[in-house]
Amino acid sequence: MGAMGALPLLLEGRALAPQAALKAKVVDQVVPRDQLISAAKAAIMSGTAKSVQPWDEKGFRIPGGGPYTPTGNQVFTGGNAMLRAKTFGNYPAQDAIMCAVYEGLQVPIDAALRIEARYITKVILDPASGNMIRSLFLNMQAANKLSRRPKGVPETKLKKIAVLGAGMMGAGIAYVTAAAGLDVVLIDQSQDAADKGKAHSAGLLDKGVERGRVTTEQKAAHLARITATTSYDGLKDADLVIEAVFENRDIKADVTKKAAAKLPATAVFGSNTSTLPITGLAEAWAGAGRSAETFIGVHFFSPVDRMQLVEIIKGKQTNDATLAVAMDYVKRIKKTPIVVNDSRGFYTSRCFGTYTREGMEMLVEGINPALIENAGKMTGMPMPPLALSDEVALDLIHKVQSQTAKDLGAAYKPTGIESLVEAMVVKHGRLGKKAGKGFYEYPADGKKHLWAGLSDLAPSATGARADEQPTADELKKRFFYAQAVETARCMEENVVTDPADADVGAILGWGFAPWTGGPLSFIDTVGLPKFVAECDSLAQKYGPRFAPPKLLRDMAAKGQSFYGKAGAKAA
């Protein structure tokens, strides 16, 4: 089929439908499954199927031409540029594929196959391959099979789920829950708000109908499973409640008490919170006469219909039966669960925040915002840090910072970026993408671009430090190490108890560069002694947020690794 036709399939790992494969000449014929052998015999007998492949026939010419033809030159020159723009050289397989095709087209097929075999061997031996296979295949499969589910607890027979709050998160949770065949009662303060939440499901289903993935009957059945209401009476026969109201302790306590008054004695209460400690939220549940043992955190990610991860958070009193219910629910809605222990920000929000905060720290230091963003993209993260902060919403970051400072009191340690976020939100009214203005401008008729006013908030970026900008590699290191060292602290503090949960959760939850296999795989790849030494160097230069915890120092001294024979659990 030639390089132009083959490279997109090879580099993207794209599958083709049978008729599309036939048109692309990937296959010779498409026949019904039960006619496969007879059709093959007929092709042989008729001479349609030859014993000599086209590329072995005398005079064969590569479709589109080889690398040193006008078309081939265009394919490989443009292909290399597009590949670099998409992968930044982080994925060894794509580079190897491009090289194998380029070199293989210049030699006979047998030599080309030897070249390919050598590149395959090189890819297999690359640490990135092992890291991705372990985290994205083996460990993710184990998580989907509920490897962390408490043993001996009977499987939960869920029928009805209540969702408190019909905003973006609640509406998304209702959609995926109804898609799993469960009845949902979606509750909000006003009927209009509840109806709007249900309309979110209708909108997603309409798109499915347009694309031929959903029938009108399936849409109707899906929507019939969602009851939008303001009444808590529908909770009387609910098996599980997912609370998804605003990230405010008082509001969450209010709806928790209202639900506790209506729910059956056997019901489990799950709070979809991204930062507030579960043990503290459970106090309202216990205060309403319920047991804190049946309260748990069920943290979804936005948009719920597309994000695969659910972070399940055990409070100090959460029992195994409650954990089993939460995990059974997550499996039922076809999401991937990780299990963590209670802590402010838990695991994902806490560690994800180090990436966006590091970008803001760099901005405050006077580093050019364009350099910050490009370095972030070069790591393999899905979005650069300032753009991602806009997506999260700067006013939400400001509220979380304010709530954390209020909760911790004198123990709160400012990070140095609070004044930047406050200025963006309070002084300039730049709330993020949802408001059309944040670190970026979002013109209705054009492409988003960095806000020119950033130079006023961090003047040294275009002034005193204009000629003293760091290299992209230095910034990439800061992004990686800030996230990885915080993940190690979560392991040390028993917030995360399994390296697999840490790595799978990081990749699925906040998009930690998949080619690394996750933050703990990244540490193992660097090597504990070198990682600790680099952390010490970064801490001296940029502050204590990079200081390695005792766990890492001890592991380095003992020659241990997170996935080695003497891993973190033995440390």
Side-chain angles (χ1 to χ4, degrees):
M1 67 194 318
M4 183 178 288
L7 280 171
L9 302 178
L10 296 169
L11 294 170
E12 297 174 21
R14 197 188 331 148
L16 294 175
Q19 292 300 327
L22 179 64
K23 185 177 180 181
K25 299 182 181 179
V26 173
V27 297
D28 296 311
Q29 264 185 278
V30 175
V31 299
R33 183 187 299 272
D34 60 357
Q35 297 175 26
L36 185 63
I37 300 301
S38 59
K41 288 179 178 178
I44 293 169
M45 295 301 292
S46 66
T48 305
K50 298 180 180 179
S51 60
V52 178
Q53 291 296 331
W55 49 81
D56 285 326
E57 292 182 347
K58 188 175 181 180
F60 171 74
R61 298 177 68 84
I62 299 165
Y68 295 110
T69 63
T71 301
N73 181 59
Q74 181 182 355
V75 167
F76 286 99
T77 301
N80 276 323
M82 288 188 287
L83 181 63
R84 184 69 186 181
K86 286 189 174 183
T87 70
F88 294 97
N90 290 323
Y91 292 90
Q94 278 80 0
D95 286 342
I97 288 168
M98 184 68 83
C99 291
V101 173
Y102 180 81
E103 296 171 24
L105 287 177
Q106 302 177 59
V107 296
I109 187 68
D110 290 338
L113 293 173
R114 288 195 297 273
I115 288 170
E116 181 186 42
R118 288 168 185 158
Y119 275 113
I120 288 172
T121 304
K122 183 180 179 182
V123 169
I124 290 171
L125 294 175
D126 192 296
S129 298
N131 290 342
M132 286 192 286
I133 290 168
R134 180 179 58 231
S135 293
L136 297 173
F137 182 68
L138 299 175
N139 289 346
M140 198 176 297
Q141 276 196 339
N144 287 331
K145 292 176 181 177
L146 305 190
S147 60
R148 300 290 309 283
R149 189 183 188 278
K151 309 300 180 188
V153 180
E155 183 180 349
T156 314
K157 303 297 182 183
L158 296 169
K159 293 181 180 178
K160 185 176 183 180
I161 309 298
V163 179
L164 308 182
M168 182 184 297
M169 291 300 292
I173 295 167
Y175 171 80
V176 298
T177 303
L182 293 165
D183 290 332
V184 182
V185 55
L186 180 60
I187 300 176
D188 211 305
Q189 286 182 307
S190 71
Q191 190 61 48
D192 284 347
D195 289 340
K196 185 179 179 181
K198 183 173 180 176
H200 174 74
S201 290
L204 292 174
L205 290 164
D206 284 339
K207 291 179 182 178
V209 172
E210 289 174 13
R211 295 167 184 167
R213 297 174 183 172
V214 178
T215 65
T216 53
E217 292 78 15
Q218 288 171 329
K219 173 190 170 183
H222 189 135
L223 293 175
R225 288 191 285 269
I226 303 174
T227 301
T229 182
T230 60
S231 172
Y232 282 73
D233 290 340
L235 274 62
K236 291 179 180 178
D237 56 348
D239 305 302
L240 169 68
V241 174
I242 305 294
E243 168 270 303
V245 300
F246 191 70
E247 197 79 345
N248 177 284
R249 190 182 305 279
D250 295 333
I251 296 174
K252 287 182 180 292
D254 180 58
V255 300
T256 299
K257 291 172 183 175
K258 288 177 179 176
K262 299 288 186 179
L263 285 163
T266 55
V268 165
F269 195 100
S271 177
N272 174 61
T273 174
S274 57
T275 57
L276 300 176
I278 291 300
T279 303
L281 295 179
E283 292 173 2
W285 180 247
R290 301 286 182 146
S291 171
E293 293 181 345
T294 56
F295 195 99
I296 195 166
V298 186
H299 178 203
F300 285 83
F301 296 78
S302 183
V304 178
D305 59 294
R306 295 206 300 268
M307 294 296 282
Q308 184 63 22
L309 186 73
V310 176
E311 182 181 29
I312 298 176
I313 308 105
K314 294 171 60 180
K316 288 183 179 178
Q317 293 177 273
T318 304
N319 62 23
D320 282 352
T322 298
L323 174 59
V325 170
M327 296 192 77
D328 289 342
Y329 166 67
V330 172
K331 183 179 181 180
R332 179 74 179 270
I333 61 174
K334 298 180 181 179
K335 301 289 185 185
T336 300
I338 61 168
V339 180
V340 304
N341 289 319
D342 198 15
S343 169
R344 181 168 293 279
F346 321 125
Y347 167 57
T348 55
S349 296
R350 173 176 167 180
C351 294
F352 158 71
T354 62
Y355 174 61
T356 52
R357 282 199 302 271
E358 198 62 30
M360 287 186 270
E361 289 276 7
M362 292 172 182
L363 188 60
V364 171
E365 290 170 22
I367 297 173
N368 192 301
L371 177 57
I372 295 169
E373 296 295 81
N374 283 323
K377 287 190 287 188
M378 290 169 69
T379 64
M381 296 288 287
M383 291 185 73
L386 301 180
L388 190 53
S389 297
D390 275 359
E391 292 280 345
V392 172
L394 299 182
D395 60 331
L396 176 60
I397 294 173
H398 181 52
K399 286 169 185 171
V400 170
Q401 287 177 345
S402 300
Q403 183 69 57
T404 303
K406 180 180 177 182
D407 289 350
L408 297 182
Y412 180 69
K413 296 178 181 178
T415 62
I417 62 170
E418 288 85 354
S419 57
L420 170 67
V421 175
E422 184 173 4
M424 290 288 289
V425 173
V426 179
K427 183 178 179 181
H428 298 284
R430 304 189 69 85
L431 310 184
K433 184 179 179 181
K434 65 180 181 181
K437 54 182 182 178
F439 289 120
Y440 282 76
E441 295 280 11
Y442 298 89
D445 56 349
K447 192 175 181 181
K448 74 177 185 182
H449 56 85
L450 285 161
W451 177 43
L454 288 179
S455 59
D456 296 326
L457 293 179
S460 53
T462 52
R465 280 201 64 169
D467 298 323
E468 301 175 13
Q469 295 292 301
T471 65
D473 285 342
E474 175 72 5
L475 301 190
K476 286 167 61 180
K477 179 187 287 187
R478 286 176 62 176
F479 285 133
F480 279 131
Y481 278 62
Q483 296 173 80
V485 76
E486 192 66 26
T487 300
R489 291 189 190 107
C490 287
M491 289 291 293
E492 181 180 68
E493 296 167 20
N494 207 40
V495 175
V496 184
T497 60
D498 189 320
D501 274 351
D503 281 346
V504 170
I507 294 171
L508 294 185
W510 75 88
F512 188 86
W515 65 270
T516 66
L520 298 186
S521 290
F522 174 79
I523 293 174
D524 275 2
T525 302
V526 172
L528 266 294
K530 182 180 178 181
F531 185 83
V532 168
E534 294 275 16
C535 280
D536 283 333
S537 176
L538 289 168
Q540 276 192 330
K541 195 170 181 180
Y542 300 110
R545 63 184 180 278
F546 287 103
K550 184 176 183 297
L551 170 68
L552 292 186
R553 294 192 188 279
D554 290 347
M555 289 175 68
K558 296 173 184 176
Q560 294 177 332
S561 65
F562 285 103
Y563 288 101
K565 291 182 179 178
K569 290 183 178 179

